[in-house]
Amino acid sequence: MVLSRFWLVIFISSILFIVVSLFSGHSYTIDYVLNGKKDDPILLSEKYINQLPVFIKDSIEKAPDQTIVINKNESDADTTYVFKAKTVKIYSGVQKSDGLLPTCKNSLLDLIIPLIAYLAFFCGLMELLIMSGAAEKLAKGLSPVFVKIFPTVPKNHESISYMTLNFAANFLGLDSAATPFGLKAMQSLQTLNPEKDKASDAEIMFMCLHAAGLTLIPTSIIGYRAAENASNPADVMLPCIITSFVGTIAAFLIVGIKQKINFKSASLIVGLVTLIAAIVGLLIYINHLDLIAKNYFTANLSGLMLVGIIGFTLVFSFAKEKKFSENDTTIFDSFVTGANNGLKTGVTIFPYVLGMLVAISLFRNSGLFEILSNGISFIFSHLGVSKQITDSLPVAMLRPFSSGGSRGFMIDSMRTFGPDSFTGRLSCIFQCSAETTFYVIAVYFGSVNIKNTRYTLGTMLLVDLICVITAILVAGWFF
């Protein structure tokens, strides 16, 4: 219900703002909101050539293509005058994101189709894990801890192995693998849910822990920093780990208190201490590496882990081939069955993702997001918050709505202020330490047709806020 109302508020407020801007003269056209593409120039007005200042008129008439660009400034958009069919069109600024119709198209071609391919492959692997008995063994080994975190999930339930694989993929920055594992976990948890259109306690806990985004190897962030020629692309790795870990603990405590989980359980304490020890051990190891060794380690660990998971699944399935024969199937046929299920899941979640992304597109292109962002930056600056922090806040603000949008702001901040600046580094930590909240809710709950998400959205946004505050503190400590 909360998500539905929030979606309506974004949609309706954006449409009203667009209409008001058009009729009040602040916008010349709303076509860009519907048909424009990201980074296209925005049409400000159209005039007859005689209405322009003389020096601009003369410059246009002398230009070979009757197009001129003035006020050239690499830190801002140029103003372009294009003379065609007796009128001059004046463009300035660029569009923040794709319009409504291109978003519909790109959601299918650039997002859903690749996602379906990932789902098909990894769901095929998961079918092998189930048929071979590997998932059952994994669930049995982790049950003592998981039954404390998810008290409504029976011991040795298959969802435990799926959630474990999802968390492991997130740890290693393997988004392409994490999503199929997570969707399979949600589908498995849904079989235990007595109210099929209402999120269960176990589903909410899983969603919030997943969204906290505990990351041990932020490979994509390191890659973007390397592309921008950072002196040490991996220098944000430890802050990313610390920030995402604090967010994960916060999510666990907030949801755990709400669900009255027993935090004094011995198995839960042992599991938590083991996780902390593993993270501290990794931090100590990486901290002792030189720059080249760090880059080599971070570039290869996650890839090797993914290849290892695939290899283990196939080898274990081959070793247990008898189980496949007992179920009147083969290893390859089981993979195809799982891949087919992944395909169906991708088709199911498409409408949920589309609805959310279109709303975000309108929200950004209407100008409302920019007004809110500038307003918050203004308030923070007058509260004494450093300009280096306020310059990076757009990444934190947009992260819950759009991973691509916040990534664009992150790259822009590195290019504007430098990858080794405090702003550039903080933007990277913001990008790494939280999840695309609204997209994740749409995908995961949409995959099992849950309409009432209860307190999930509020908790995830609170965790996002905690991650933002932690990121600022950690960045100030490190840099």
Side-chain angles (χ1 to χ4, degrees):
M1 183 66 72
V2 175
L3 180 62
S4 175
R5 288 175 179 172
F6 190 88
W7 179 79
L8 283 173
V9 167
I10 290 178
F11 234 123
I12 295 173
S13 61
S14 299
I15 292 173
L16 288 175
F17 193 81
I18 290 168
V19 173
V20 170
S21 295
L22 177 65
F23 286 102
S24 64
H26 289 88
S27 297
Y28 181 73
T29 177
I30 61 171
D31 181 68
Y32 72 96
V33 175
L34 300 174
N35 299 303
K37 295 182 179 180
K38 186 178 183 297
D39 296 328
D40 276 355
I42 297 176
L43 178 62
L44 292 185
S45 63
E46 186 175 10
K47 298 180 181 293
Y48 291 108
I49 194 168
N50 292 329
Q51 295 177 299
L52 299 175
V54 175
F55 79 96
I56 294 179
K57 174 185 173 182
D58 292 342
S59 299
I60 292 175
E61 291 175 340
K62 293 177 182 178
D65 57 355
Q66 294 189 319
T67 300
I68 66 168
V69 179
I70 64 171
N71 299 331
K72 189 168 181 61
N73 182 354
E74 293 184 359
S75 65
D76 196 4
D78 302 328
T79 300
T80 305
Y81 294 81
V82 179
F83 180 51
K84 185 178 181 181
K86 300 182 180 180
T87 64
V88 177
K89 292 184 177 180
I90 305 172
Y91 299 88
S92 187
V94 294
Q95 192 160 330
K96 302 300 182 183
S97 63
D98 288 334
L100 188 149
L101 298 180
T103 296
C104 293
K105 175 185 175 182
N106 296 335
S107 296
L108 176 63
L109 298 180
D110 299 336
L111 180 63
I112 294 300
I113 290 179
L115 178 60
I116 287 176
Y118 293 140
L119 286 172
F121 178 73
F122 286 105
C123 285
L125 288 180
M126 284 187 286
E127 186 69 19
L128 298 184
L129 289 172
I130 295 171
M131 297 296 296
S132 65
E136 183 181 354
K137 290 182 180 294
L138 180 61
K140 187 177 294 185
L142 294 170
S143 283
V145 176
F146 273 74
V147 294
K148 302 300 180 182
I149 300 175
F150 303 93
T152 58
V153 176
K155 188 177 181 180
N156 303 335
H157 192 261
E158 63 177 9
S159 62
I160 295 176
S161 56
Y162 298 145
M163 289 188 285
T164 302
L165 291 170
N166 172 264
F167 294 147
N170 268 335
F171 292 167
L172 299 170
L174 303 173
D175 294 339
S176 58
T179 299
F181 293 147
L183 292 175
K184 195 69 176 179
M186 284 294 287
Q187 291 168 358
S188 182
L189 290 172
Q190 183 69 351
T191 63
L192 303 172
N193 187 2
E195 300 180 68
K196 299 302 181 183
D197 63 343
K198 182 179 179 181
S200 67
D201 285 353
E203 289 170 335
I204 293 173
M205 175 64 83
F206 170 64
M207 279 290 299
C208 292
L209 290 178
H210 166 80
L214 176 56
T215 304
L216 299 184
I217 309 293
T219 49
S220 60
I221 300 297
I222 294 171
Y224 288 123
R225 288 183 54 74
E228 296 302 322
N229 300 313
S231 59
N232 180 4
D235 61 5
V236 298
M237 184 173 177
L238 300 187
C240 284
I241 294 173
I242 294 172
T243 303
S244 62
F245 180 70
V246 170
T248 301
I249 295 298
F252 173 60
L253 292 175
I254 293 169
V255 180
I257 292 171
K258 184 79 173 177
Q259 297 181 1
K260 299 179 180 179
I261 288 176
N262 179 19
F263 293 106
K264 296 180 181 180
S265 167
S267 57
L268 187 58
I269 293 174
V270 169
L272 186 60
V273 170
T274 302
L275 178 61
I276 294 174
I279 292 174
V280 171
L282 180 65
L283 292 177
I284 293 173
Y285 173 75
I286 294 174
N287 197 44
H288 283 81
L289 298 176
D290 60 25
L291 176 59
I292 293 178
K294 283 182 181 178
N295 292 337
Y296 178 80
F297 180 81
T298 56
N300 289 291
L301 178 61
S302 58
L304 283 173
M305 289 296 293
L306 179 58
V307 171
I309 291 172
I310 296 171
F312 168 81
T313 302
L314 296 175
V315 171
F316 192 86
S317 297
F318 179 73
K320 301 293 182 179
E321 192 172 16
K322 186 177 179 180
K323 289 192 174 184
F324 291 88
S325 299
E326 291 173 354
N327 288 280
D328 196 28
T329 186
T330 65
I331 295 175
F332 183 72
D333 288 340
S334 296
F335 174 84
V336 171
T337 298
N340 188 47
N341 291 334
L343 175 64
K344 293 177 181 177
T345 300
V347 173
T348 299
I349 66 176
F350 172 57
Y352 295 88
V353 175
L354 177 66
M356 189 58 65
L357 293 181
V358 168
I360 292 171
S361 168
L362 283 176
F363 185 51
R364 292 204 68 204
N365 288 325
S366 69
L368 267 178
F369 175 82
E370 189 172 0
I371 291 174
L372 290 174
S373 176
N374 292 338
I376 291 175
S377 296
F378 177 81
I379 293 172
F380 274 96
S381 64
H382 280 73
L383 291 175
V385 178
S386 168
K387 188 177 185 299
Q388 292 178 310
I389 294 176
T390 59
D391 286 337
S392 62
L393 283 179
V395 178
M397 290 186 60
L398 195 58
R399 186 69 172 102
F401 296 95
S402 169
S403 176
S406 60
R407 186 188 304 118
F409 274 113
M410 177 191 72
I411 295 172
D412 180 70
S413 70
M414 285 194 286
R415 291 177 178 175
T416 302
F417 304 101
D420 296 322
S421 66
F422 183 84
T423 299
R425 285 167 167 152
L426 181 57
S427 297
C428 292
I429 300 171
F430 282 151
Q431 179 71 12
C432 177
S433 59
E435 185 55 89
T436 314
T437 300
F438 294 96
Y439 170 78
V440 168
I441 288 179
V443 169
Y444 280 67
F445 282 130
S447 68
V448 289
N449 296 314
I450 284 178
K451 298 176 176 59
N452 184 357
T453 60
R454 299 169 66 194
Y455 50 87
T456 309
L457 178 59
T459 301
M460 290 171 67
L461 290 177
L462 178 58
V463 171
D464 288 340
L465 177 60
I466 292 172
C467 286
V468 168
I469 296 172
T470 304
I472 293 172
L473 295 175
V474 171
W477 178 31
F478 272 81
F479 308 116

